[in-house]
Amino acid sequence: RCRTNPDPDLLAVAKRLGDYIIACNPYYCRKENFTQVGGIEASGFTTCYPSWIDALVALGEVTKDTKYLDEARAIARLSWIDAAFLKHHSHGRLVAFRGMLDLDRVSGVPEFTDKVREACAQIAAEYEYPTGGVAEMFGMDYPRDEGCSEADWTRVNFLLWQAMNDPKYLDATENVLFNHLYGTQFANGGFGHHTLSPLRDAKNVFPAARLERMASDSYWCCSMHGAQVIADVAHWGVL
């Protein structure tokens, strides 16, 4: 919001939140939180704590205060302790990846781009639905998507195109955007979770290729992220 329409009052609120995150460093930014608390499914530090990275990078970019970038880098480095995908929450992992790509762009130090590129190649090869989207929990047998994850997967692929200048990432961006994210938008404009099932022909079974009618509008999370990425797409299209 402050990038496109500066607002000193809103920025002051954001800085207070950023300063709170930094103040929590001695308690949260600890190896044992990843090795002992864990991170499978929607719980644990793998999902929640690294999601602060992109917010801190945004603060660093807007305020020009490097303390926010330094904190983002510390969290990003720690997050690689748990680099597994199977049964891990895709939104938590992908929102961290988009923060890392932004961190490399804003700081001019390409510390994480190659790691994210390699991780996303694994996601595309092993965990991507035929629609171009991903499951709420990484794994082809998980029967539900999440709007946040599809929005993040869209954004991560676009940021990889910016970083790598490889058009295959634009193709991936377009694929998930048109073949999954837009197709799962609710009539009221929101996003959420949809149940998926296999699609079969005479010889083959395609996991999670059919969108079922069972769905939930997740206004507390997915609708926000879906709207955000649609706004981003408008900027990307012009640029």
Side-chain angles (χ1 to χ4, degrees):
R1 175 69 169 79
C2 291
R3 282 192 190 106
T4 56
N5 192 354
D7 183 332
D9 293 334
L10 185 61
L11 186 58
V13 173
K15 287 172 66 176
R16 287 179 64 190
L17 289 168
D19 292 341
Y20 167 77
I21 295 171
I22 293 174
C24 289
N25 177 287
Y27 312 101
Y28 291 161
C29 199
R30 300 169 67 94
K31 180 179 179 179
E32 55 263 38
N33 287 332
F34 282 81
T35 58
Q36 296 179 28
V37 175
I40 64 170
E41 299 185 347
S43 64
F45 275 69
T46 293
T47 294
C48 298
Y49 188 52
S51 67
W52 283 351
I53 298 169
D54 73 329
L56 289 163
V57 174
L59 271 173
E61 182 178 24
V62 173
T63 65
K64 311 303 181 186
D65 192 332
T66 58
K67 70 179 181 181
Y68 299 116
L69 300 182
D70 292 341
E71 186 67 14
R73 191 175 302 280
I75 298 172
R77 287 172 176 169
L78 190 69
S79 71
W80 288 99
I81 291 173
D82 185 356
F85 288 115
L86 188 62
K87 296 184 179 179
H88 283 56
H89 199 260
S90 57
H91 172 42
R93 185 59 53 86
L94 292 172
V95 75
F97 283 174
R98 82 186 210 205
M100 293 177 197
L101 292 170
D102 265 342
L103 178 58
D104 281 5
R105 175 184 61 82
V106 172
S107 68
V109 180
E111 180 176 350
F112 302 104
T113 298
D114 281 342
K115 287 185 176 182
V116 172
R117 176 183 57 79
E118 292 172 4
C120 289
Q122 182 180 353
I123 293 171
E126 299 179 20
Y127 301 112
E128 189 177 79
Y129 287 157
T131 58
V134 294
E136 180 184 11
M137 312 296 175
F138 283 117
M140 292 304 293
D141 59 348
Y142 193 83
R144 194 170 78 155
D145 71 351
E146 181 175 10
C148 294
S149 301
E150 317 320 325
D152 288 332
W153 189 225
T154 302
R155 185 180 284 103
V156 165
N157 276 290
F158 183 84
L159 294 176
L160 279 170
W161 170 73
Q162 282 189 321
M164 309 301 297
N165 198 29
D166 187 334
K168 74 178 183 182
Y169 295 113
L170 279 184
D171 291 338
T173 302
E174 182 182 46
N175 187 26
V176 60
L177 185 68
F178 283 90
N179 293 314
H180 196 118
L181 187 69
Y182 286 163
T184 57
Q185 188 173 22
F186 291 98
N188 64 3
F191 294 89
H193 299 80
H194 289 74
T195 300
L196 293 96
S197 64
L199 187 64
R200 296 176 174 86
D201 64 15
K203 298 180 180 179
N204 302 299
V205 177
F206 303 95
R210 184 199 304 273
L211 286 166
E212 300 290 351
R213 294 184 179 182
M214 292 179 62
S216 61
D217 184 352
S218 303
Y219 55 86
W220 58 87
C221 186
C222 298
S223 291
M224 178 187 69
H225 283 273
Q228 186 181 26
V229 78
I230 288 174
D232 285 342
V233 167
H235 286 287
W236 300 342
V238 171
L239 295 175

